[in-house]
Amino acid sequence: MKKTFSYLALAGVLTIASCTNLDESVYGVIPKEGFGSTPEQLASLLGPAYSGLRDYAWNAHNAEVTTDVGLVPTRGKDWYDGGNWLNYNRHTWTTTHGPINDMWGWIFESGINTINNLIPQVAGNTVAIAELRAVRAFYYFLAMDYFGNVPLITESTSGTVSTTPRAQIYAFVEKELTEALPNLSDNVGGSYYGRINKLTAQTLLAKIYLNAGVYKGTPEWQKAVDMCDIVIKSGKYKLEPNFLANFAVKNEGSTENIWAIPFDRIQAGGMTITYRTLHYQSQSTYNLSGQPWNGFCTIAEFYNSFSDNDLRKKMWISGVQYGADGKALKDDNGKDLDFNPVMTKDEMTSADPEFQGAGVRLGKYEIQRGNTVPDQDNDWAMFRLADVYLMRGEALFRLGKTADALADFNIVRARAGVSAWTVSQLTLDNILAERGRELAWEAWRRNDLIRFGEFNKVGGKFSSKFMKEPAAKTLLFPIPQQRRDANPGLAQNPGY
């Protein structure tokens, strides 16, 4: 295999073994006593805690299409799916929205519950317990970000469980990470690739501190700066000269990706972003074995926020599309297939000029040409050093340390090939826009827009023109009705 997959490939084996009662224990070459004492054994032991993270690539994009970055338009009969995608675009989701229910289940069942079951199995192994607590803290970070007040469960349980206030979830995530830190590894790469080490945990702490004002009502800008300082000054990561190298098919060698979720198109699938965005006829362009699904795209206003000399603009696939034979591809109406940014509707039929080709497509993750399956080998870039620079710059700016903040933003802008900002250009509006250009489709846009107070403003400078409901309630997703039916102790979020 092309990368370290010990914690992914062995996860299923270990899960099966833990559910089997045998008269004779057979451990092969791995001794029963002291299992987990080597990096390889520890990686396999922790496998079930990490393998579920591959679903982040799907759930994260669900959150991204609630923002100005993109949408999933209905094209004729395709991508209606009960109105789920339109409801995301329009902010008209309800308590019975299927994908939101799936998101809840992924966080609490695949993530938190799995880890709660694993922790007793590694009793006495302080290293394993620290890492499990850190991964669980990441899931709880997502839970409080998406849903606000959620149940705080640290052991296997059944029956009614009440919700815990968001501020207490914040305190729990901070405590879990800070207590786990001393026992997390200093290693980067090798058998630790794709796992949470000290610097990953400190980056996650920077994330929660940056949003502390949202989560608990009190900003923690200096704490965010402190965590970013540690990561940057460690010297263990550096910006890739080529922005797109972080998302290449073989991006496991990135010097910038602090935490990546490993994918393998055969062994560990789920990276299907290519199929989600490309048109059916793009099969010919990239010599794919199957037809893509013609779904996700960006919105014109967001695409146009990139200047032509911004090297990051290469993350988009736009204009008339051609097959491998050099001929223009055609849509179902016989027109040249044009990924045009102009989009006037989020629900179209063949009578609409834009129809199948509307919307610039996502090319940030390199498309794996000649692929025989929808899944790709690119690893998901969860945390990047560029984001750490931007987080520190924002926190410094909010603390009034303009000169230091300016230096951080200009480091990132220099790599993008755009001119350095002056002091007068350093504004909150520009900071939010810069984060959008750097981090589009990395699933941080909703998080950012909420922090900047721009998420639910219809017609606002940074909000989607397709948004229909500017209600404060949309700052949180609803607690799914299916979950409340199963657990009456869950209180619904305000407004739902």
Side-chain angles (χ1 to χ4, degrees), residues 285-351:
T285 306
Y286 301 98
N287 191 27
L288 304 174
S289 64
Q291 285 192 331
W293 309 326
N294 197 34
F296 290 70
C297 62
T298 196
I299 298 172
E301 288 79 359
F302 188 82
Y303 173 74
N304 292 332
S305 73
F306 291 75
S307 61
D308 288 340
N309 63 330
D310 192 330
L311 298 175
R312 296 170 298 194
K313 198 170 186 177
K314 295 179 180 179
M315 75 171 73
W316 307 110
I317 305 170
S318 62
V320 175
Q321 299 299 295
Y322 297 87
D325 58 3
K327 296 180 180 179
L329 299 176
K330 306 293 183 180
D331 65 17
D332 287 355
N333 291 335
K335 298 179 181 179
D336 284 352
L337 181 62
D338 185 359
F339 292 165
N340 193 303
V342 177
M343 180 177 286
T344 60
K345 299 180 179 180
D346 59 3
E347 189 172 13
M348 294 170 282
T349 70
S350 57

Side-chain angles (χ1 to χ4, degrees), residues 102-169:
D102 294 341
M103 186 186 298
W104 177 283
W106 165 63
I107 291 172
F108 283 97
E109 294 168 8
S110 298
I112 292 168
N113 186 58
T114 295
I115 294 169
N116 286 344
N117 286 327
L118 275 174
I119 287 176
Q121 298 179 37
V122 297
N125 188 328
T126 56
V127 175
I129 290 174
E131 201 165 335
L132 288 172
R133 290 175 71 184
V135 180
R136 185 175 62 187
F138 174 73
Y139 277 110
Y140 264 111
F141 160 70
L142 295 178
M144 73 173 174
D145 189 70
Y146 292 154
F147 296 103
N149 304 337
V150 295
L152 182 55
I153 307 168
T154 58
E155 58 186 25
S156 297
T157 186
S158 60
T160 300
V161 181
S162 300
T163 48
T164 297
R166 196 184 209 183
Q168 291 182 33
I169 300 296

Side-chain angles (χ1 to χ4, degrees), residues 68 301-302 305 427-430 432-433 445 449 454 457-465:
D68 60 334
E301 288 79 359
F302 188 82
S305 73
T427 65
L428 285 177
D429 279 356
N430 283 342
L432 178 57
R445 189 61 171 172
L449 287 170
E454 295 287 348
K457 291 183 180 179
V458 171
K461 185 174 182 180
F462 299 106
S463 62
S464 169
K465 66 181 180 182

Side-chain angles (χ1 to χ4, degrees), residues 57-308:
W58 177 257
N59 285 285
H61 279 121
N62 289 358
E64 196 83 335
V65 297
T66 67
T67 75
D68 60 334
V69 169
L71 75 162
V72 187
T74 299
R75 308 175 193 271
K77 65 181 184 300
D78 294 336
W79 289 98
Y80 179 68
D81 295 348
N84 285 333
W85 299 107
L86 295 175
N87 287 329
Y88 267 140
N89 303 339
R90 298 171 178 177
H91 285 209
T92 53
W93 52 77
T94 68
T95 60
T96 58
H97 191 270
I100 293 176
N101 179 58
D102 294 341
M103 186 186 298
W104 177 283
W106 165 63
I107 291 172
F108 283 97
E109 294 168 8
S110 298
I112 292 168
N113 186 58
T114 295
I115 294 169
N116 286 344
N117 286 327
L118 275 174
I119 287 176
Q121 298 179 37
V122 297
N125 188 328
T126 56
V127 175
I129 290 174
E131 201 165 335
L132 288 172
R133 290 175 71 184
V135 180
R136 185 175 62 187
F138 174 73
Y139 277 110
Y140 264 111
F141 160 70
L142 295 178
M144 73 173 174
D145 189 70
Y146 292 154
F147 296 103
N149 304 337
V150 295
L152 182 55
I153 307 168
T154 58
E155 58 186 25
S156 297
T157 186
S158 60
T160 300
V161 181
S162 300
T163 48
T164 297
R166 196 184 209 183
Q168 291 182 33
I169 300 296
Y170 172 95
F172 171 77
V173 172
E174 181 184 28
K175 177 176 179 290
E176 289 293 282
L177 290 170
T178 53
E179 290 184 359
L181 267 173
N183 290 310
L184 292 175
S185 175
D186 293 307
N187 293 318
V188 173
S191 62
Y192 288 89
Y193 179 74
R195 292 164 56 190
I196 292 185
N197 59 20
K198 278 188 171 70
L199 294 171
T200 307
Q202 285 155 337
T203 304
L204 178 53
L205 280 166
K207 282 284 182 189
I208 73 162
Y209 291 144
L210 195 69
N211 290 279
V214 174
Y215 300 146
K216 66 168 185 170
T218 306
E220 294 285 9
W221 307 121
Q222 187 58 53
K223 285 186 176 182
V225 170
D226 293 343
M227 289 298 107
C228 292
D229 276 345
I230 293 171
V231 176
I232 292 169
K233 293 176 181 178
S234 73
K236 292 191 175 183
Y237 305 98
K238 62 180 181 179
L239 294 186
E240 284 283 347
N242 179 0
F243 166 74
L244 290 175
N246 299 300
F247 315 98
V249 171
K250 296 184 180 297
N251 63 339
E252 63 271 18
S254 167
T255 60
E256 182 175 335
N257 289 341
I258 296 168
W259 188 25
I261 305 304
F263 283 87
D264 181 281
R265 65 193 182 95
I266 305 300
Q267 300 289 338
M271 178 57 80
T272 57
I273 187 171
T274 292
Y275 269 62
R276 283 179 249 161
T277 187
L278 292 178
H279 187 271
Y280 326 108
Q281 301 303 325
S282 300
Q283 176 184 12
S284 169
T285 306
Y286 301 98
N287 191 27
L288 304 174
S289 64
Q291 285 192 331
W293 309 326
N294 197 34
F296 290 70
C297 62
T298 196
I299 298 172
E301 288 79 359
F302 188 82
Y303 173 74
N304 292 332
S305 73
F306 291 75
S307 61
D308 288 340

Side-chain angles (χ1 to χ4, degrees), residues 348-423:
M348 294 170 282
T349 70
S350 57
D352 295 297
E354 52 266 54
F355 191 38
Q356 289 185 354
V360 171
R361 308 309 167 93
L362 323 179
K364 192 169 194 175
Y365 280 90
E366 180 188 4
I367 296 169
Q368 196 160 1
R369 294 175 180 268
N371 200 359
T372 58
V373 293
D375 303 277
Q376 294 205 164
D377 288 325
N378 322 58
D379 297 339
W380 179 271
M382 184 75 76
F383 294 155
R384 291 195 289 121
L385 183 62
D387 190 8
V388 178
Y389 276 117
L390 295 178
M391 286 195 291
R392 187 174 72 173
E394 179 189 335
L396 287 168
F397 177 76
R398 291 179 185 272
L399 289 168
K401 300 178 181 179
T402 305
D404 291 338
L406 194 63
D408 279 341
F409 286 106
N410 284 335
I411 287 171
V412 176
R413 287 178 61 80
R415 197 260 300 271
V418 292
S419 61
W421 277 344
T422 62
V423 171

